[in-house]
């Protein structure tokens, strides 16, 4: 059999597996349920076939496959640049850029690469200044002097005891390069176009990757749209921060004495004054960093910059460096707010016992109650256990005999809950980290935060839930699913606190007032599936962001209770629920701001999209599309 014939068979298998994955997802009661063993077996078979035929598949973004992706989708040609210049000439306003390069971060050979990439820009309204000239060697200063004689846009800016502001010539925007990097020829054009199209913008950042001495690109970080919680763990404005000149001046520019994290300090002071709506993200790689792309800047300097930020804005929080970036701990009030943990179940004695006993034994948080919702259980042993639980302090058993409706069961229990905060917990959850509830409550109490989700692990210690990604597999999927619990994930996101459009209700904490404000879970339209996603999206619509934390770890013995529903009535009901989600939230599902259009919607591993869902730089030429196969 030829490779072409095998590829066609793989395509058929992929289609069947994708359909099976969606069917399993919609035939289970929420996005928290695991894709079961038959799908895993089929996927493994497909991977073995792909390896045997030598078919190149959509592998994780490392090395060769990313180079291939770049060649297909991120390598504009001369015709494209002609179109870019034509478009630029039609603008009524042409933003002027002052580009500041950190002298600490550049050797002479690297600086030549940086300047060479600037000289190759299709957009010419820029001037370059070197910041921290005292940190640069004589070779660099001589290089700048020589280049400056041939191009007046290249200048030396000696900075010793004065704050840096754009005083070396007229500028509308400041571009700060805090790492040694090279810019593609269309980088400044893309930033300028973003400014022209969004005149209220005050800060702009873009995606990044790494480049070696031979010009080979690797290790991309495709960032989400503005994500303030992720930013506190990894500076999204590094290595390329574009700041409106008036804002740059208002915050005092780059401050003296220079610290080892000047870019983070600058970005923090700017976001304190910029509105979230004015912070724009360009989903294109506009900077390629020489050498390491480690997300952590100087650890001590980063901590100092973050802690000064918290002092300025009056937030009781402390930042600490981690191997993955930075972690922010928010202080809890001296009197811990009361939390009501709601656990629906039908029978499932072993799971419920494990869930409740693990919470009681492992949870350090002192001020909570458990509401066990007994949905018409009929197992005598389970009923006897529930009766014994009901006699314990701070455990209440609520008998609810209506037909199963996950949303209705939780809504009724919330109405009876005494807590200031509500915790929705599946009966197959097992607490394994004493600080899980402290962490979730501390985040849920922050202004602007809606629901808080936990890091849920399978018993084999791989990730089951790392936040919900809209659009993956149809409606939604779980970020970094099946990745080892200690793995970094894309851009460090498997180990960093961040906002997601949604988190799973398998373990979710939210203020009761917010739960009631948005009407709780939708028991009329979404009694079984997608209710948690819809709930989180309504919180987002009301102006609150949903936060996921890797520092609240619990086990999720997923799908152990209910299994698959295959009756026609169930399939029709779940199809209606999926249809409702598309009708209500179709635009968000198609373009999740917490994800990136350069990443796949076929899998949950942050792999590359073939092709990406970005608007072409110019009118597109036909490009090859890759199949949704996995090695």
């Amino acid at each position: 059999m030829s490779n072409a014939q095998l590829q066609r068979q793989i395509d058929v298998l992929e289609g069947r597996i994708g359909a099976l994955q969606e069917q399993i997802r919609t035939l289970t009661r929420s996005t928290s349920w695991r894709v079961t063993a038959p799908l895993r077996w089929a996927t493994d078979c497909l991977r073995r076939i792909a390896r045997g035929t030598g078919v190149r598949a959509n592998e994780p973004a490392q090395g060769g496959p990313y180079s291939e992706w770049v060649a297909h989708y991120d390598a504009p040609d001369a015709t494209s640049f002609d179109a870019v210049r034509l478009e630029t000439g039609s603008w009524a306003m042409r933003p002027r850029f002052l580009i500041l390069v950190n002298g600490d971060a550049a050797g002479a050979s690297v600086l030549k690469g940086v300047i060479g990439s600037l000289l190759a820009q299709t957009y010419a309204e820029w001037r370059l200044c070197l910041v921290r000239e005292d940190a640069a060697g004589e070779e660099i200063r001589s290089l700048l002097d020589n280049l400056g004689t041939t191009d007046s846009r290249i200048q030396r800016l000696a900075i010793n005891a004065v704050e840096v502001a754009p005083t070396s010539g007229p500028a509308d925007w400041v571009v700060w390069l805090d790492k040694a990097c090279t810019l593609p020829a269309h980088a400044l054009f893309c930033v300028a176009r973003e400014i022209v199209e969004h005149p209220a913008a005050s800060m702009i950042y873009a995606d990044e990757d790494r480049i070696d001495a031979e010009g080979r690109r690797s290790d991309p970080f495709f960032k989400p749209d503005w994500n303030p919680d992720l930013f506190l763990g990894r500076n999204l404005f590094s290595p390329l921060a574009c700041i409106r000149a008036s804002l740059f001046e208002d915050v005092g520019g780059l401050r003296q004495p220079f610290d080892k994290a000047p870019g983070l300090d600058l970005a923090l002071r700017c976001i304190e004054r910029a509105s979230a709506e004015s912070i724009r993200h360009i989903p294109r790689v506009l900077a390629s960093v020489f050498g390491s792309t480690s997300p952590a800047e100087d650890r001590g300097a980063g901590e100092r910059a973050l802690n000064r930020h918290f002092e300025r804005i009056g937030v009781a929080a402390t930042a600490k460096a981690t191997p993955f970036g930075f972690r922010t701990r928010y202080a809890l009030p001296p009197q811990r707010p009361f939390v009501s943990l709601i656990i629906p179940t039908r029978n499932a004695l072993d799971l419920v016992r494990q869930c409740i006993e693990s919470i009681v034994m492992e949870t350090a948080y002192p001020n909570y109650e458990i509401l066990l919702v007994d949905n018409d259980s009929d197992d005598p042993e389970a009923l006897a256990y529930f009766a014994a639980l009901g006699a314990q302090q701070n455990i209440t058993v609520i008998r609810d005999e209506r037909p199963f409706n996950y949303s209705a069961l939780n809504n009724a229990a919330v109405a009876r809950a005494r807590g200031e905060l509500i915790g929705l917990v599946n009966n197959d959850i097992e607490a394994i980290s004493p600080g899980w509830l402290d962490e979730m409550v501390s985040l849920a109490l922050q202004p602007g935060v809606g629901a808080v989700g936990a890091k849920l692990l399978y018993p084999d210690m791989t990730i089951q839930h790392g936040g919900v990604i809209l659009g993956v597999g149809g409606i939604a999927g779980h970020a970094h699913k099946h990745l080892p619990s200690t793995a970094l994930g894309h851009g460090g996101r498997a180990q960093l606190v961040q906002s997601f459009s949604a988190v799973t209700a398998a373990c979710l904490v939210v203020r009761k007032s917010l739960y009631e404000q948005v009407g709780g879970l939708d028991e009329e339209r979404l009694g079984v599936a997608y209710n948690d996603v819809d709930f989180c999206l309504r919180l987002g619509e009301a102006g609150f962001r949903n936060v996921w934390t890797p520092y609240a770890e619990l086990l999720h013995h997923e799908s152990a209770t209910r299994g698959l529903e295959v009756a026609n009535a169930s399939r029709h009901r779940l199809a209606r629920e999926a249809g409702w989600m598309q009708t209500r939230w179709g635009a968000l599902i198609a373009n999740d701001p917490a994800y990136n259009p350069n990443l796949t919607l076929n899998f949950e591993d942050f792999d590359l999209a073939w092709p990406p869902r970005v608007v072409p730089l110019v009118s597109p030429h036909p490009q090859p599309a890759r199949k949704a196969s996995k090695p």
Side-chain angles (χ1 to χ4, degrees):
M1 184 180 294
S2 70
N3 278 359
Q5 291 172 316
L6 285 172
Q7 180 63 67
R8 284 194 293 273
Q9 289 191 6
I10 290 171
D11 293 344
V12 171
L13 283 172
E14 287 171 344
R16 291 174 180 172
I17 288 173
L20 178 61
Q21 185 174 19
E22 179 60 19
Q23 183 181 21
I24 289 173
R25 183 177 286 108
T26 56
L27 286 176
T28 49
R29 74 171 178 80
S30 93
T31 59
S32 67
W33 297 108
R34 186 179 187 180
V35 175
T36 53
L39 178 61
R40 298 289 301 280
W41 174 84
T43 303
D44 288 343
C45 287
L46 174 63
R47 288 171 176 165
R48 286 195 293 270
I49 292 171
R51 289 193 188 103
T53 61
V55 175
R56 276 180 171 253
N58 186 15
E59 302 172 11
Q62 300 287 336
Y66 178 60
S67 301
E68 194 174 318
W69 186 93
V70 168
H72 288 328
Y73 306 118
D74 197 31
D77 56 19
T79 302
S80 299
F81 291 148
D82 289 341
V84 162
R85 295 183 183 96
L86 185 63
E87 178 182 338
T88 303
S90 69
W91 293 346
M93 183 270 289
R94 293 166 61 89
R96 297 166 297 179
F97 296 110
L98 173 64
I99 300 171
L100 302 179
V101 176
N102 186 0
D104 273 345
S109 60
V110 168
L111 187 60
K112 288 180 181 178
V114 174
I115 295 175
S117 73
L118 289 173
L119 293 173
Q121 292 296 303
T122 59
Y123 187 79
E125 299 292 335
W126 59 266
R127 63 176 60 234
L128 169 69
C129 293
L130 182 69
V131 177
R132 279 304 308 269
E133 184 185 326
D134 57 310
E138 181 58 37
E139 184 180 4
I140 290 179
R141 289 193 288 269
S142 177
L143 171 67
L144 291 176
D145 286 341
N146 293 335
L147 289 173
T149 60
T150 58
D151 194 319
S152 60
R153 295 175 298 177
I154 299 173
Q155 302 176 354
R156 287 172 53 185
L157 181 63
I159 304 300
N160 292 306
V162 297
E163 294 175 338
V164 179
T167 58
S168 62
D172 304 301
W173 282 73
V174 173
V175 178
W176 166 245
L177 303 181
D178 71 334
K179 291 182 179 177
C181 63
T182 182
L183 310 182
H186 55 278
L188 293 183
F189 163 77
C190 288
V191 176
R193 181 163 65 181
E194 189 75 12
I195 295 166
V196 170
E197 294 178 349
H198 301 278
S202 63
M203 301 179 72
I204 298 171
Y205 64 97
D207 302 336
E208 62 179 280
D209 63 11
R210 185 171 69 178
I211 193 168
D212 65 16
E214 284 72 42
R216 293 179 298 229
R217 292 168 54 186
S218 63
D219 196 16
F221 178 24
F222 290 113
K223 305 173 185 180
D225 288 347
W226 176 233
N227 195 313
D229 300 286
L230 180 59
F231 166 68
L232 295 178
R234 175 171 183 174
N235 183 4
L236 298 175
F237 295 95
S238 176
L240 175 71
C242 307
I243 303 166
R244 188 174 291 277
S246 57
L247 175 61
F248 186 85
E249 291 176 327
D250 287 346
V251 302
L254 290 164
R255 287 184 170 172
Q256 285 282 5
F258 278 93
D259 211 335
K260 292 295 184 180
L264 179 59
D265 174 70
L266 172 64
L268 286 164
R269 285 182 284 116
C270 287
I271 67 160
E272 292 166 13
R273 301 199 186 193
S275 68
E277 296 75 20
S278 72
I279 300 175
R280 304 289 306 174
H281 164 230
I282 301 175
R284 300 181 188 278
V285 174
L286 299 187
S288 297
V289 179
F290 292 107
S292 173
T293 56
S294 171
E297 300 182 72
D298 180 271
R299 288 169 175 252
E303 289 179 2
R304 289 189 293 273
L306 286 162
N307 289 322
R308 287 194 297 262
H309 163 69
F310 295 135
E311 291 174 6
R312 289 192 298 267
I313 64 175
V315 171
T318 304
K320 288 290 184 182
T322 76
F324 312 106
F326 297 97
R327 177 186 180 181
T328 295
R329 291 179 183 267
Y330 295 95
L332 285 164
Q335 180 60 41
R336 302 293 196 264
F338 196 59
V339 181
S340 295
L341 301 177
I342 297 171
I343 307 172
T345 192
R346 185 177 191 275
N347 297 318
L349 172 60
D350 292 339
L351 281 175
V352 173
R353 179 186 287 124
Q354 176 179 257
C355 177
I356 291 178
E357 291 183 1
S358 70
I359 290 173
V360 171
M361 297 297 293
E362 295 292 335
T363 303
Y365 193 89
N367 202 17
Y368 67 90
E369 66 173 348
I370 294 175
L371 302 180
L372 180 68
V373 183
D374 171 14
N375 183 212
D376 199 24
S377 296
D378 56 10
D379 174 21
E381 291 187 24
L383 291 171
Y385 177 68
F386 298 164
L389 283 177
Q392 297 184 29
Q393 186 178 9
N394 283 340
I395 299 181
T396 301
V397 178
I398 302 171
R399 178 76 174 180
D400 193 325
E401 297 182 353
R402 78 183 83 188
F404 177 75
N405 181 313
Y406 180 80
S407 298
L409 293 174
N410 280 285
N411 288 344
V414 169
R416 295 183 55 174
R418 296 182 289 131
E420 177 185 342
L421 294 106
I422 299 297
L424 304 184
V425 182
N426 275 13
N427 66 351
D428 53 0
I429 291 294
E430 180 183 354
I432 59 172
S433 56
W436 72 274
L437 192 51
D438 296 76
E439 172 73 4
M440 297 181 77
V441 169
S442 71
L443 286 163
L445 292 176
Q446 299 309 305
V449 171
V452 176
K455 184 177 186 178
L456 303 183
L457 305 175
Y458 290 122
D460 65 1
M461 301 307 287
T462 60
I463 295 173
Q464 185 270 332
H465 171 257
V468 171
I469 307 168
L470 302 181
V472 170
I475 302 295
H478 288 180
H480 294 120
K481 198 169 186 176
H482 301 301
L483 198 70
S485 63
T486 57
L488 188 66
H490 184 81
R493 292 188 65 176
Q495 302 293 344
L496 296 172
V497 176
Q498 62 203 271
S499 305
F500 276 99
S501 294
V503 293
T504 182
C507 185
L508 178 155
V509 171
V510 64
R511 283 174 277 168
K512 183 177 180 180
S513 60
L514 293 184
Y515 190 98
E516 295 172 334
Q517 177 181 329
V518 300
L521 301 181
D522 188 340
E523 57 190 76
E524 178 183 351
R525 302 179 188 87
L526 301 172
V528 177
Y530 309 121
N531 36 57
D532 46 3
V533 177
D534 171 75
F535 173 70
C536 288
L537 295 183
R538 282 185 280 119
L539 284 170
E541 188 176 57
F544 299 93
R545 66 188 193 274
N546 303 299
V547 178
W548 174 81
T549 174
Y551 300 110
E553 282 193 340
L554 304 98
L555 293 185
H556 190 187
H557 301 272
E558 189 186 30
S559 290
T561 307
R562 300 189 67 243
L564 297 180
E565 297 178 276
V566 296
N568 285 335
S570 295
R571 290 201 301 271
H572 292 323
R573 169 178 47 75
L574 292 167
R576 287 196 303 271
E577 291 174 335
W580 165 252
M581 289 295 293
Q582 285 288 356
T583 299
R584 179 69 173 86
W585 302 110
L588 272 176
I589 290 171
N591 187 22
D592 187 346
Y595 198 43
N596 189 295
N598 292 291
L599 299 174
T600 183
L601 294 179
N602 297 315
F603 304 98
E604 296 161 307
D605 57 3
F606 286 72
D607 209 342
L608 297 170
W610 297 78
R613 300 175 302 283
V614 295
V615 176
L617 184 65
V618 293
S619 298
H621 299 287
Q623 295 284 6
R626 291 291 291 274
K627 304 297 183 181
S629 59
K630 300 293 291 182

